[in-house]
Amino acid sequence: MIEIKNATKGQATDIAHLIMMAMTDDCCLHFCEKGYGLEDFRKMMTLLVEREDSQYSYKNTLVAADGDKVIGISVSYDGSILHELRRPFLELALKHIGKDHAGMDDETQSGALGFAAWLVQELYLDSLAVLPGYRRRGIASRLISATKERANRMGLPHVGLLVDKGNPDGEALYASIGFQYANDSQWGGHPMKHLVL
């Protein structure tokens, strides 16, 4: 039976793998300086998941588990504290992937002025992924539902996310759950749509 539950620090390696799956190899490499690769990025992500003060922390992660096996993840955090949570990424990126990302766009606050007031009141769904062998079983929907429950407990009125414009299957999944288009965005070298629930 597949359970949705809070992640533990001991699951950091599996969580980092799934975050990178959500990001895609191309996007991960976009963040790396020349001469660094996916293994460097994976090491950095694992360290970020192990921390408690990172946007990618296990504390910000729900896992879908099949017994002891992590088969899916939802990483989310209060969008209004993105800069605070991003500091560890900026520090470790210099050390492990050789690149300064201090000027990175804010995925939780980009876009049309009409939406700006409530975009910072979202639980930002940073990463959502399910292992290929477990897809099309409703696991991603269950993770999103659990993320929405988390937002409600935190008093945040919305769940927001970015979906790559080249990912129509992902966009269709989010639309079927009730996510609506908010605005266009750019992240990781890709054109994105910001959706909210």
Side-chain angles (χ1 to χ4, degrees), residues 6-190:
N6 292 325
T8 65
K9 187 175 180 178
Q11 297 167 323
T13 301
D14 294 331
I15 294 167
H17 171 73
L18 283 157
I19 291 171
M20 289 178 66
M21 186 181 295
M23 292 176 73
T24 75
D25 288 353
D26 182 49
C27 187
C28 294
L29 290 171
H30 170 82
F31 285 106
C32 294
E33 187 60 64
K34 187 176 178 180
Y36 293 86
L38 293 175
E39 283 311 308
D40 301 304
F41 197 90
R42 185 178 322 282
K43 180 178 180 182
M44 177 190 72
M45 289 306 301
T46 302
L47 292 170
L48 288 169
V49 173
E50 289 174 343
R51 292 177 66 142
E52 294 187 6
D53 61 346
S54 156
Q55 66 196 94
Y56 300 108
S57 173
Y58 71 94
K59 293 262 191 190
N60 296 329
T61 305
L62 296 171
V63 296
D66 185 1
D68 290 334
K69 183 178 183 181
V70 175
I71 54 102
I73 51 113
S74 168
V75 179
S76 61
Y77 47 84
D78 182 340
S80 69
I81 59 171
L82 171 63
H83 290 182
E84 176 185 330
L85 293 173
R86 184 181 277 167
R87 268 188 235 124
F89 173 83
L90 297 177
E91 293 166 14
L92 291 184
L94 280 170
K95 181 176 180 182
H96 293 282
I97 58 174
K99 207 164 188 182
D100 183 355
H101 288 290
M104 182 186 295
D105 290 337
D106 291 353
E107 62 264 37
T108 61
Q109 299 178 37
S110 59
L113 292 175
F115 293 102
W118 55 264
L119 287 180
V120 295
Q121 297 179 18
E122 69 182 4
L123 183 66
Y124 181 68
L125 178 50
D126 187 291
S127 304
L128 178 74
V130 175
L131 290 175
Y134 287 85
R135 292 180 185 161
R136 304 209 183 280
R137 297 189 197 180
I139 297 165
S141 296
R142 287 179 60 199
L143 283 163
I144 292 169
S145 178
T147 301
K148 180 61 176 161
E149 289 171 17
R150 185 170 180 248
N152 293 342
R153 285 192 305 273
M154 294 172 70
L156 295 169
H158 302 283
V159 173
L161 57 81
L162 294 182
V163 63
D164 195 308
K165 288 185 178 182
N167 182 5
D169 290 345
E171 188 173 350
L173 166 69
Y174 300 134
S176 74
I177 293 168
F179 278 89
Q180 297 179 3
Y181 172 81
N183 58 309
D184 286 338
S185 188
Q186 182 85 10
W187 187 83
H190 293 259

